[in-house]
C-alpha cells in the first residue's frame, strides 16, 4: 500500500515536470518542488477534492463529468498557492489545460509502470 502511494507520488511528479516543459506559463523549479507539489496534491485530493466534488455535483452531472477537470485545476491552483514562487501557474486556463494533460499523462504512466510493477 505504501509502495503504491510512493510510486504514485513519483509518477505524478514526473507528469508535473513534463507539463512544466510543455508550457511557459506552468513553472516548476525542479524535481524536489515536483515531489512537494505531488505530495500536497495528494493531501488535497484526500481532503479538499471530495468536498468540491459534492458541492459541484449537479454541474458535474450536467457536464457528464467534465467539470471534474475544473475541480482538478482548483486543486492545482491551491497547490501552487501553498508552495509559492517555486511552482507558478499563470492563469486558470493554464491550470485547466494542465489538469487535462496531467490526467492523461498519469493514466499513461500508471499503465506503463505501476500496473506492471505491482502485479
Amino acid at each position: 500500500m505504501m509502495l503504491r502511494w510512493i510510486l504514485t507520488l513519483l509518477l505524478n511528479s514526473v507528469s508535473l515536470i513534463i507539463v512544466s516543459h510543455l508550457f511557459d506559463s506552468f513553472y516548476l523549479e525542479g524535481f524536489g518542488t515536483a515531489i512537494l507539489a505531488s505530495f500536497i496534491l495528494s493531501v488535497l485530493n484526500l481532503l479538499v477534492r471530495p468536498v468540491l466534488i459534492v458541492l459541484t455535483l449537479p454541474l458535474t452531472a450536467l457536464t457528464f463529468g467534465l467539470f471534474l477537470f475544473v475541480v482538478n485545476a482548483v486543486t492545482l491552483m491551491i497547490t501552487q498557492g501553498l508552495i509559492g514562487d517555486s511552482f507558478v501557474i499563470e492563469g486558470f486556463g493554464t491550470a485547466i489545460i494542465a489538469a487535462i494533460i496531467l490526467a492523461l499523462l498519469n493514466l499513461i504512466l500508471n499503465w506503463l509502470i505501476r500496473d506492471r510493477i505491482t502485479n
Side-chain angles (χ1 to χ4, degrees), residues 12 15 19 49 68-69 72 76 96-110:
N12 197 33
S15 296
V19 170
R49 190 170 184 265
L68 290 176
F69 289 121
N72 290 344
L76 273 174
I96 290 175
I97 294 168
I100 293 168
I101 294 172
L102 283 169
L104 292 171
L105 285 172
N106 282 329
L107 180 72
I108 292 166
L109 289 173
N110 281 320

Side-chain angles (χ1 to χ4, degrees), residues 18-94:
I18 291 170
V19 170
S20 74
H21 286 288
L22 292 175
F23 300 102
D24 291 332
S25 55
F26 191 99
Y27 172 74
L28 198 57
E29 192 169 275
F31 193 68
T33 303
I35 290 175
L36 177 61
S38 182
F39 176 77
I40 291 172
L41 273 172
S42 71
V43 171
L44 290 174
N45 284 336
L46 183 68
L47 302 175
V48 176
R49 190 170 184 265
V51 174
L52 292 175
I53 289 172
V54 168
L55 291 175
T56 62
L57 198 54
L59 195 51
T60 301
L62 190 64
T63 61
F64 302 106
L66 291 177
F67 195 76
L68 290 176
F69 289 121
V70 174
V71 171
N72 290 344
V74 168
T75 59
L76 273 174
M77 294 299 284
I78 293 170
T79 301
Q80 66 103 29
L82 291 172
I83 293 178
D85 292 341
S86 58
F87 181 35
V88 177
I89 302 170
E90 296 174 4
F92 195 70
T94 300

